[in-house]
Amino acid sequence: MATSSRKQAAAALRRQQEAQARRKRIVFGTAIGASVLLIGGLLGLGIWMNREIEYDVNEPAAATTDTYAVAIGDGPVAIDLYIDYMCPACKQFEDAYAADLQRWVDEGAVQINYHPIAILNRMSQGTDYSTRAAAAAVCAADTGEQEFLDYTLALYAAQPAENTSGLSDDELRRIGTGIGLGADWEACVDDETYRGWVDEGTASASSEQGVTGTPTAMVEGRLVDSATFAESVEAAIASASLFLS
């Protein structure tokens, strides 16, 4: 698929999300609280299950942080997002804020550090869907920052229900090729290149970074409420603009 076609497909998904975002933000605050509480209580179990099999920890070619995050953008305001691709609350977060995140990156206002962790493998009937999806997303980051954002958008659009087997590897590949990711990306997915990196990041999030559930959002290192995330980021951008001027 040509780059223009990939951008058109991603833009169509974003238009759908923008049309729904206002309504979703109204109910977002109450829904997110229950989901984060449940996921946080089971974070340790998810990490233990993830680490039953050891995989090589390969450092991504993409820009990353020492806290196992994919770095998107180079703006003055640092955002950290801890996400699981099977997490319903994470999809709600994406539906509500994807357009804002894209705009802030395009404006050069932020650096978004995406931490793709896997705490819901236990909800995919033994297929380790959270890890597989996260590893495929890191492969997309190797292709480019926009490709990572577009693949994340597409994964949430096709998010499987909890307590199912999740998407198969073939389906993960079809989603990627559908937005224009090529042979190098497919080989990265087939080789499970970043499964070990995702597992290490999942363990680090809990043991070293104090993360207790997904989605977890931080702005300039400060934990912020998901329901008021956009307002927190806008305030930080305004403050940074005053400082830089």
Side-chain angles (χ1 to χ4, degrees), residues 62 72 139-149 181:
I72 305 295
C139 287
D142 277 359
T143 302
E145 292 185 3
Q146 191 60 52
E147 284 79 359
F148 175 86
L149 291 174
L181 294 172

Side-chain angles (χ1 to χ4, degrees), residues 1 3 6 25 37 49 108 123 133 144 150 153 185 191 209:
M1 179 182 290
T3 301
R6 177 182 61 75
R25 286 192 189 187
L37 181 62
M49 293 180 71
M123 304 296 283
D150 291 348
L153 190 74
W185 172 79
D191 292 342
Q209 300 173 54

Side-chain angles (χ1 to χ4, degrees), residues 36-195:
V36 169
L37 181 62
L38 174 61
I39 293 169
L42 295 168
L43 180 60
L45 176 61
I47 292 171
W48 177 80
M49 293 180 71
N50 287 350
R51 294 179 65 81
E52 286 184 341
I53 300 174
E54 294 284 340
Y55 291 88
D56 291 338
V57 180
N58 300 307
E59 189 67 25
T64 59
T65 72
D66 59 5
T67 55
Y68 299 91
V70 172
I72 305 295
D74 58 1
V77 173
I79 299 171
D80 284 270
L81 299 177
Y82 295 80
I83 61 172
D84 185 309
Y85 287 105
M86 201 171 207
C87 160
C90 296
K91 182 183 187 309
Q92 292 171 6
F93 187 97
E94 180 75 10
D95 288 345
Y97 298 123
D100 291 320
L101 292 166
Q102 183 71 57
R103 174 172 57 84
W104 293 326
V105 169
D106 291 343
E107 292 172 351
V110 301
Q111 176 177 308
I112 309 173
N113 301 317
Y114 276 94
H115 303 256
I117 62 176
I119 62 176
L120 290 179
N121 281 339
R122 58 190 167 74
M123 304 296 283
S124 59
Q125 300 182 347
T127 72
D128 291 345
Y129 174 71
S130 294
T131 298
R132 291 187 294 108
V138 180
C139 287
D142 277 359
T143 302
E145 292 185 3
Q146 191 60 52
E147 284 79 359
F148 175 86
L149 291 174
D150 291 348
Y151 191 60
T152 291
L153 190 74
L155 282 179
Y156 280 125
Q159 186 184 63
E162 293 177 315
N163 295 311
T164 69
S165 59
L167 303 178
S168 68
D169 288 344
D170 284 344
E171 289 170 316
L172 290 174
R173 283 192 294 270
R174 279 198 294 273
I175 290 171
T177 57
I179 62 169
L181 294 172
D184 288 345
W185 172 79
E186 289 190 76
C188 180
V189 175
D190 290 342
D191 292 342
E192 301 184 319
T193 303
Y194 297 126
R195 284 195 61 149

